[in-house]
Amino acid sequence: MALNESAALLDAEREARRAPPSCGEQARYAQWLAWTSHAGLALMLIAFASYLSGALPAYVPRHRLPEIWSHPVARYLAETGMPRGWGWARLLGYGDMLALAGVALLAASAGIGLAALLPRCARHGDRAMVAVCCAEVLVVSLAASGWITH
């Protein structure tokens, strides 16, 4: 074997030891994360364009935004009549509220990816991973639900 070939093999072995192992779960999670992230961004862009163009009405009129943006949340909610918690979901016919659905989808991307791993991990008997995925999805869901308050 030539010296160059030996050096190339040693470099390849070192690189293989440094690289993390390829894992089907990682690829599946990454795929779901990519899909949901792209869908969330697309929804936000479409909703924002609909809002700016007037294709969808605004719940909070644009001309009022500079006046009320600086207020504390409680006052902003009172002045706009905006519902608390997930009440915005009933207002998805408004362009400014539809954009929040894109934000919610982005926020849920990690949980959706983990939930997508559950069947595969269960099929392979990886109980620890199933428990971690379930716990993560449960914690994120509870936090997003508004059931946990300070």
Side-chain angles (χ1 to χ4, degrees), residues 84-100:
R84 291 186 175 271
W86 284 87
W88 62 267
R90 293 188 309 269
L91 305 172
L92 291 177
Y94 295 95
D96 45 351
M97 298 297 108
L98 186 58
L100 290 178

Side-chain angles (χ1 to χ4, degrees), residues 43-54:
L43 181 55
M44 285 180 6
L45 288 172
I46 292 167
F48 187 65
S50 299
Y51 166 72
L52 285 181
S53 70

Side-chain angles (χ1 to χ4, degrees), residues 3 35 38 86 100 114 147:
L3 186 59
W35 288 339
H38 290 128
W86 284 87
L100 290 178
L114 289 171
W147 290 346

Side-chain angles (χ1 to χ4, degrees), residues 48 51 60-73 75-77 79-80 82 96:
F48 187 65
Y51 166 72
V60 178
R62 278 185 280 171
H63 70 274
R64 290 208 55 218
L65 290 178
E67 159 200 339
I68 58 178
W69 267 341
S70 61
H71 297 322
V73 173
R75 184 169 170 194
Y76 175 86
L77 293 175
E79 287 194 23
T80 61
M82 183 79 64
D96 45 351

Side-chain angles (χ1 to χ4, degrees), residues 28-41 105 109:
R28 185 175 178 93
Y29 177 77
Q31 187 176 43
W32 276 94
L33 195 61
W35 288 339
T36 54
S37 296
H38 290 128
L41 288 171
L105 183 55
S109 291

Side-chain angles (χ1 to χ4, degrees), residues 6-18:
S6 295
L9 282 174
L10 285 173
D11 287 343
E13 286 176 10
R14 277 190 217 112
E15 188 61 34
R17 275 186 252 128
R18 263 188 275 152

